[in-house]
Structure formats: structure tokens, C-alpha cells
Amino acid sequence: MSDSRAFCPRCGDPVPERSASDADGETDAADPLRPGAEVELCDACYFDDFDFVDVPDRIDVRVCATCGAVYRGNRWVDVGAQDYTDVAIEEVSEALSVHVDVDDVAWQVEPEQIDPNTIRMHCYFTGVVRGTPVDEQVTVPVRIARQTCTRCGRIAGDYYASIVQIRAEDRTPTSEEIERAKEIANQIVADMEATGDRNAFVTETSETDDGLNIKVSTNKIGKKISNKMVEEFGGTVNDAETLVTEDSDGNEVYRVTFAVRLPPYRPGEVIELADDDGGPVIVRSARGNLKGIRAATGDRYEASYEEGNSPDARRLGDLEDAVETTVVTVEDENAVQVLDPETYQAKTVARPNYFDPDTETVPVLKSRAGLHILPDPDGDSEIERDGAYDPYESNA
Ligand SMILES: [Zn+2]
Ligand SMILES: [Zn+2]
């Protein structure tokens, strides 16, 4: 600290020594005779000029009447406001500024609804500056203009850039597959919205005789949905572009159709392969090549690369079609006697390796291919319906 006295550059009164912390770390070099030097006003002059809060005379807000987004800068933003009062409070706090010297600033606001589009905001501020408590009351009218944001305008106009068609080979998609496709679409859009992407939306989902159509706002979303479906269920996706229009700059605008083709056989189905004498196969997965388990032995089956997910086969039934029947006797390593669930006669059937010799009953499927023991749906060495669990992979 220097011992030179400081004087108020405006009124010439001596300025009392202030501690370094009061001076907020600023250098208090204070020579009024040197122009441009950093000098401090006395409290009286300081408070003459002091403006605690700076707010505009009025605030105009454009709010989307449909989704509540607010137009800020040059774009629509989601502000997460519950109602127009919330929006008004948020806009006031965005628009106001408080003098930098003030510590311990607190404020409260009392909205007064004047008419449906005008809210008068009574704001009360308190704080401390130069050790002196200060307060100020300001009133700002907020005018709300109800409009339609770009996104809501597009949704209302049934805008879409891409269609995802969910179909299946030689069958129609199941209700599970259709529901899952809708979930995936909504989840992908929600994830994109969560990152602030306002252009992501599902325009429409419609079920058709042969599946589901999902119209979405961007090609990127269409691609994500179809890739996710194939990742979960197997199958293929093909995309095709259609020229729909030219934009204002003369660029061609394409709409992309993603055709998802789910595999013909689903996990849990029991099929009989053509030109094969290994007996029924319980389908475990249709992602990539069809994979499954032989009902006669429990051995693993995998279709060749050429056959892919659609080997030549016919359906015999489904794990859900199995009925519980009594085990009469275990004959040997390869054979078990069970009761035929239709005739109640003891019948010798193949013994798959998933058969538990201590069990009293087993699920069996009676089909064109004969009587077969299926895996116990509650057992722990089982094939799960969604194909997620592979009893062989743990040994591989
Ligand atoms: Zn002064
Ligand atoms: Zn909107």
C-alpha cells in the first residue's frame, strides 16, 4: 500500500483508504492529476451513477403455441417451460443484467397477467455493493406472440423425408416386431431431441396389410431405425431414393425409402429343413445365418452362407405350441419314453442333450415330423425366445 491519499476524480473529496478486499483486487492507483488513471469515485458520486439492474422497457417473446418452443436469436429453442408465465420469467432473466460490482444478488418476481398475451413482471432485486445494501424494483411487460415453430409447422404439414417399411419374408411381421419398430423409432427420435435436435420427429406410423410404414423427418432417422431393426431381428434393408422436388437453391431433394425385410423364421419357431434328415430345428437366431438346435439331439445347427437366414424349410410349430407330458422311462443315452399327449400311449422318442433325466415331465411338440422333446422354457440350459442366450457359446 502506498501512503499517497486518493481523491474522488469527480468532486475532489478525499476517498477513504479502502482495504484490498473492498477494492475487489483492482489497483487503486489514484492520482486525479493523471488523466486516464484508475481512480475511484467517492461513495456519493458512485451511487449517483449506480444502476443496479438493467432491463429492457418491454420484452417481446415468440412462443410456439403447439410445443412451447421460444424463438431466440434466429432460431427456435426448447426451453422446457410449463406455461407462458414460466416462459416470461425465463425471458426476463435472460434479458436483465445486474451491475457487476454487486454481491449477494437475489431477486424475486411476481407475474401479473394483464391479458392472455401480456404478463407484467414485477421484479424485486437486493444485493450488497461497497458494503451497502441496495435494492431495486422494476416492472417489465412481457408480450407473448403465439406462433408456430418450424418443426410444428412441418409436423402439421405431414412433412417427411424418409419412409421405413417394415416387412417380412414369406410372412407378415408379428405384432411384437411391429411394436418394437415403433418403440425403436420413438426412442431414436427422443435421443436426438435430447441432444437439442429439433428436426427429429416421427410424422406418422401406419400399419398396412403386410407390415408397418414409418414416416420420419430425416433420412438419417430412417437409416437408424432400419439398421436397428436388422441388428435386433436379422434380415436385410434396401434403400431407394425418389426425387421429390428441388429446393429454393435448385438442389434436388430426395426422399429415401428404407425397405426392411425381416427373416422368414423367428427365434422360437420349430422348422423342418428340406433335404435334411436331422429332424426338426428349433430356431435360436435369425441374425446373419439362421442358427438353431436340433430337437432330436440338442446339437447345434447353422445354415450355410448361401442359405443365409432363409434355408429351404417348412414350419412345424413354435416353442409355445409345446405341451407338457409325462416321462415314462429313460431307455438309454439316445432314447426316452414319453406319453403321447394325444393318445396317452407310451412312445419312444429321441433324447436330446438338453433333456434332464431326473425330470418327471417334459414339453413336447407333436408335428408332421413326429413327437419331439423341446427345451424346457423355464430351465436354465434353455433357448430363450429372443435368441439372446446360446447354451453353446459359453463352451466355445
Ligand atoms: Zn465524489
Ligand atoms: Zn412448435
Side-chain angles (χ1 to χ4, degrees):
M1 271 250 171
S2 79
D3 43 315
S4 64
R5 292 300 306 263
F7 297 93
C8 174
R10 183 168 302 167
C11 66
D13 280 356
V15 178
E17 290 280 348
R18 303 177 67 220
S19 74
S21 63
D22 279 351
D24 265 335
E26 279 176 41
T27 50
D28 36 358
D31 187 350
L33 301 177
R34 276 198 295 133
E38 290 273 340
V39 286
E40 287 200 327
L41 298 174
C42 71
D43 280 356
C45 292
Y46 180 87
F47 282 109
D48 275 351
D49 279 358
F50 179 71
D51 210 355
F52 184 1
V53 185
D54 189 26
V55 277
D57 295 339
R58 65 178 249 179
I59 295 172
D60 290 296
V61 199
R62 294 163 63 184
V63 179
C64 175
T66 309
C67 70
V70 170
Y71 196 79
R72 234 177 237 170
N74 58 357
R75 61 196 193 96
W76 290 95
V77 270
D78 292 308
V79 292
Q82 295 300 311
D83 54 30
Y84 290 144
T85 306
D86 261 11
V87 169
I89 292 171
E90 193 153 339
E91 290 307 295
V92 170
S93 52
E94 286 284 317
L96 64 86
S97 52
V98 169
H99 198 290
V100 289
D101 290 351
V102 188
D103 293 323
D104 302 330
V105 177
W107 72 298
Q108 48 191 17
V109 59
E110 244 175 68
E112 180 194 353
Q113 190 89 39
I114 302 300
D115 63 49
N117 298 320
T118 312
I119 302 169
R120 195 178 281 158
M121 308 295 278
H122 303 282
C123 314
Y124 183 64
F125 297 82
T126 57
V128 176
V129 64
R130 290 197 169 198
T132 310
V134 285
D135 59 30
E136 188 168 341
Q137 192 158 358
V138 290
T139 298
V140 198
V142 178
R143 295 260 321 153
I144 307 268
R146 288 161 212 249
Q147 301 187 336
T148 300
C149 74
T150 322
R151 173 176 186 266
C152 290
R154 283 180 165 180
I155 294 172
D158 287 331
Y159 172 90
Y160 64 99
S162 180
I163 309 180
V164 181
Q165 298 175 331
I166 308 289
R167 304 287 185 273
E169 197 176 327
D170 296 332
R171 63 182 178 94
T172 51
T174 63
S175 52
E176 267 170 54
E177 287 164 337
I178 294 218
E179 287 315 306
R180 184 63 191 138
K182 291 179 187 172
E183 267 175 35
I184 287 172
N186 291 329
Q187 188 58 52
I188 284 170
V189 164
D191 289 348
M192 293 173 82
E193 279 181 339
T195 67
D197 188 340
R198 300 204 84 245
N199 293 321
F201 55 85
V202 175
T203 311
E204 184 189 77
T205 54
S206 52
E207 289 187 29
T208 65
D209 286 345
D210 52 356
L212 177 74
N213 290 345
I214 310 171
K215 291 181 181 173
V216 292
S217 58
T218 70
N219 291 332
K220 191 175 157 191
I221 301 170
K223 190 179 181 121
K224 281 189 174 187
I225 296 170
S226 36
N227 287 348
K228 182 74 179 152
M229 281 300 285
V230 171
E231 188 191 315
E232 283 191 19
F233 294 101
T236 55
V237 53
N238 286 301
D239 52 272
E241 287 184 339
T242 328
L243 178 66
V244 281
T245 184
E246 286 185 0
D247 68 14
S248 49
D249 298 327
N251 298 314
E252 293 173 328
V253 175
Y254 289 89
R255 186 171 284 164
V256 182
T257 301
F258 294 92
V260 175
R261 212 167 162 74
L262 299 173
Y265 306 112
R266 290 168 296 112
E269 281 194 291
V270 183
I271 61 173
E272 183 176 48
L273 299 155
D275 306 322
D276 173 282
D277 52 11
V281 168
I282 306 147
V283 178
R284 193 180 54 75
S285 163
R287 287 173 291 182
N289 298 347
L290 183 128
K291 298 174 195 69
I293 286 171
R294 298 276 189 184
T297 57
D299 290 346
R300 183 177 194 162
Y301 163 81
E302 179 169 348
S304 68
Y305 176 78
E306 290 73 30
E307 292 168 318
N309 62 27
S310 53
D312 192 6
R314 56 180 190 159
R315 289 181 177 82
L316 296 175
D318 192 288
L319 282 181
E320 285 173 1
D321 300 330
V323 290
E324 204 68 25
T325 194
T326 305
V327 175
V328 180
T329 178
V330 177
E331 290 184 358
D332 59 31
E333 285 161 18
N334 300 313
V336 184
Q337 252 185 44
V338 296
L339 283 188
D340 181 313
E342 284 172 9
T343 65
Y344 298 102
Q345 288 177 328
K347 229 177 206 174
T348 299
V349 299
R351 173 180 168 176
N353 59 14
Y354 50 75
F355 169 76
D356 172 3
D358 298 328
T359 192
E360 288 172 6
T361 65
V362 281
V364 293
L365 179 72
K366 194 173 182 183
S367 71
R368 289 171 297 204
L371 192 60
H372 289 91
I373 298 176
L374 295 188
D376 181 346
D378 303 319
D380 50 22
S381 64
E382 284 333 319
I383 305 163
E384 300 208 348
R385 223 195 127 72
D386 65 5
Y389 178 72
D390 179 355
Y392 293 89
E393 256 158 26
S394 55
N395 301 330

